[in-house]
Amino acid sequence: MKQYTVTSDSTTNSKGTLLYALRKELSDDIHITFARHVTTIDFTNIQAKGKNGYLDRTMLVQKSIHNITITGPVTILGGRLEFLKLIGNVVLESVTIRIGTKNLKEGVGKKMDCIYGTKCNSIILRNCSFSWNCDECLSFDDCQQVIIDKCLIAEPLHVPTVKDKGEQFIHPEGSFKDHGGTHGYGIRCSGCQDFQIINCIIADCAVRSPQISSENMRGGVYNYLINNSIIYNYGHAILSNNNYKNSRGTMTLTVTDVLFVPGTRTAKGNNDEVPEFDLETINNVDFTFVQKNNKLLHYEKMLLQKDGKEQYLNNEPGPNSEDILNHCGNLLRDIYDTEIISRIRKSIETKAIYDNLHDEPRKWVEWIHSTKQRIGTPGEI
């Protein structure tokens, strides 16, 4: 396997940079790693321009190649990855991606997923952290296989509007009214034949945590699995399965050993304020929902809303939450990820709700500074 080491944190195309690896050196069977001194690659000073300004900060992989492995630990600020068409066997390990709103014009941010993949044979994300996105954290269309393992997906942002008056607020609430936010999306998946979320944490997403869509289903079997994970402070549309009239095929959604921890974003049902999980039958799709050993914290039962009918599901023991908290996210955690994990652990232990909205919004300069403060050494949690 060809080895390429990123030795420079520059955002140019010069030799030794990540962009050079993706644009000049990319080939079958390549392993991209990072020199120890390359801990952060910062795209936030690149002004996003024009209608497609988001492309100025996109690391695009669009070749008919196979077997790409990118191994950190590294943090990418303000940048994003796209894997488009005919890509096979992509593995991303110990990479943190945080986009943010700095130097994004209104409207541009709506294209800013941390990672977007379409028509790929296999994408594996392992021990990664995704946050501060202005659209979905992760979005996948028409892929044969996607595995998200031991990843932290947290705190998508609102899209900047004129109400922000030039300030770059870090408000994770997608519908934060004072600042005109319109997003806050977690994970979106459509038309993937094998899609797995395992050993993960999805936290503080106003919408889509996750969304399983029937879009791009063109016949055949589509299996979706959420296993041994924590879904924390989720908003509405949890486990939603959007209906597209032209879809066809067989879809199975299996949810096992998942701990649901409601919070201030969680939409309540009509009966006893129990959070609802909304599912509906999809036109021309044979849809099956399987659930086992799931637990809803703070409540005795879960309410499933399916095709307008309500039924209660008994709480079961649920997963080993401590094991998930200890091994989720980038292998080299920074203080930001550590804060999220600590807040979730505290909420589980005390059965109280701890939100992430602060009295004074923190500016980008503070986050840029904090994200470079590392905790532990490579390999430690």
Side-chain angles (χ1 to χ4, degrees):
M1 177 174 279
K2 179 180 178 181
Q3 299 288 327
Y4 179 94
T5 301
V6 177
T7 57
S8 170
D9 60 7
S10 171
T11 56
T12 67
N13 286 319
S14 59
K15 193 171 184 179
T17 66
L18 178 58
L19 285 180
Y20 186 90
L22 295 177
R23 295 176 180 176
K24 302 291 185 180
E25 294 289 328
L26 207 56
S27 63
D28 285 344
D29 302 309
I30 185 170
H31 186 194
I32 300 172
T33 58
F34 298 82
R36 192 173 181 85
H37 66 276
V38 180
T39 60
T40 304
I41 301 175
D42 186 359
F43 288 84
T44 58
N45 291 323
I46 297 177
Q47 181 69 53
K49 301 174 183 178
K51 182 178 179 180
N52 293 321
Y54 71 100
L55 291 175
D56 299 334
R57 286 152 63 164
T58 296
M59 288 162 283
L60 189 65
V61 182
Q62 190 175 11
K63 289 184 178 181
S64 181
I65 54 180
H66 295 80
N67 302 327
I68 309 166
T69 300
I70 303 175
T71 303
V74 69
T75 295
I76 298 171
L77 296 174
R80 59 193 296 272
L81 281 165
E82 282 195 8
F83 300 106
L84 305 181
K85 300 178 182 178
L86 304 178
I87 304 296
N89 303 327
V90 176
V91 179
L92 199 68
E93 298 178 301
S94 203
V95 174
T96 294
I97 298 180
R98 298 199 180 113
I99 295 176
T101 59
K102 185 178 180 182
N103 286 326
L104 290 182
K105 293 182 179 179
E106 183 176 358
V108 170
K110 294 182 181 180
K111 299 288 187 180
M112 298 295 273
D113 306 326
C114 290
I115 289 184
Y116 174 67
T118 182
K119 300 183 186 302
C120 298
N121 291 330
S122 175
I123 298 177
I124 299 175
L125 311 177
R126 184 179 296 118
N127 281 115
C128 293
S129 177
F130 307 104
S131 55
W132 305 357
N133 50 294
C134 294
D135 205 349
E136 282 90 8
C137 280
L138 304 172
S139 187
F140 300 98
D141 293 317
D142 200 11
C143 296
Q144 287 191 15
Q145 183 185 64
V146 177
I147 298 176
I148 308 169
D149 180 21
K150 299 184 185 70
C151 290
L152 174 61
I153 300 99
E155 299 195 352
L157 306 180
H158 74 290
V159 174
T161 70
V162 292
K163 294 183 180 181
D164 289 334
K165 299 179 181 179
E167 299 287 356
Q168 304 302 331
F169 291 118
I170 302 299
H171 271 306
E173 175 67 29
S175 57
F176 194 75
K177 295 180 181 180
D178 292 343
H179 297 285
T182 56
H183 281 64
Y185 296 162
I187 302 174
R188 174 186 169 276
C189 176
S190 73
C192 292
Q193 294 179 354
D194 179 12
F195 184 85
Q196 302 178 36
I197 299 172
I198 53 178
N199 311 311
C200 288
I201 295 173
I202 305 173
D204 303 311
C205 297
V207 189
R208 299 179 184 174
S209 51
Q211 179 191 71
I212 305 300
S213 172
S214 66
E215 187 179 11
N216 296 309
M217 287 182 61
R218 301 181 179 89
V221 178
Y222 299 81
N223 293 314
Y224 298 89
L225 171 67
I226 307 172
N227 174 252
N228 198 50
S229 296
I230 298 172
I231 302 179
Y232 174 80
N233 195 18
Y234 49 90
H236 66 281
I238 186 172
L239 302 184
S240 64
N241 53 337
N242 276 15
N243 198 340
Y244 289 84
K245 62 181 180 180
N246 295 324
S247 301
R248 62 186 187 277
T250 300
M251 176 195 290
T252 300
L253 170 59
T254 302
V255 182
T256 60
D257 296 285
V258 175
L259 175 63
F260 297 95
V261 186
T264 56
R265 287 163 181 73
T266 304
K268 302 298 191 298
N270 296 321
N271 298 326
D272 303 322
E273 295 299 306
V274 176
E276 290 182 4
F277 307 130
D278 291 330
L279 298 170
E280 62 183 58
T281 298
I282 303 170
N283 291 336
N284 304 318
V285 171
D286 182 10
F287 175 68
T288 302
F289 175 58
V290 179
Q291 70 87 32
K292 184 179 180 181
N293 197 32
N294 300 307
K295 185 174 182 60
L296 173 63
L297 200 65
H298 310 317
Y299 296 90
E300 293 183 359
K301 296 182 178 182
M302 294 179 282
L303 181 62
L304 173 66
Q305 181 90 7
K306 189 173 185 297
D307 300 332
K309 299 178 181 179
E310 296 179 341
Q311 67 177 102
Y312 282 103
L313 306 175
N314 289 327
N315 268 334
E316 299 183 32
N320 184 338
S321 59
E322 193 61 29
D323 185 64
I324 300 170
L325 292 168
N326 284 339
H327 298 95
C328 194
N330 197 317
L331 290 175
L332 189 56
R333 283 184 183 167
D334 57 26
I335 64 172
Y336 177 76
D337 282 356
T338 301
E339 187 273 335
I340 294 177
I341 298 298
S342 297
R343 180 161 48 85
I344 295 173
R345 179 180 282 111
K346 186 176 180 182
S347 182
I348 293 173
E349 290 175 349
T350 63
K351 296 185 178 181
I353 294 173
Y354 297 91
D355 206 342
N356 59 338
L357 291 180
H358 306 282
D359 294 334
E360 295 295 330
R362 283 179 266 188
K363 306 281 182 67
W364 253 92
V365 64
E366 295 173 88
W367 280 119
I368 296 296
H369 174 70
S370 68
T371 199
K372 294 179 180 178
Q373 297 182 37
R374 298 292 179 179
I375 291 181
T377 58
E380 287 187 343
I381 295 296

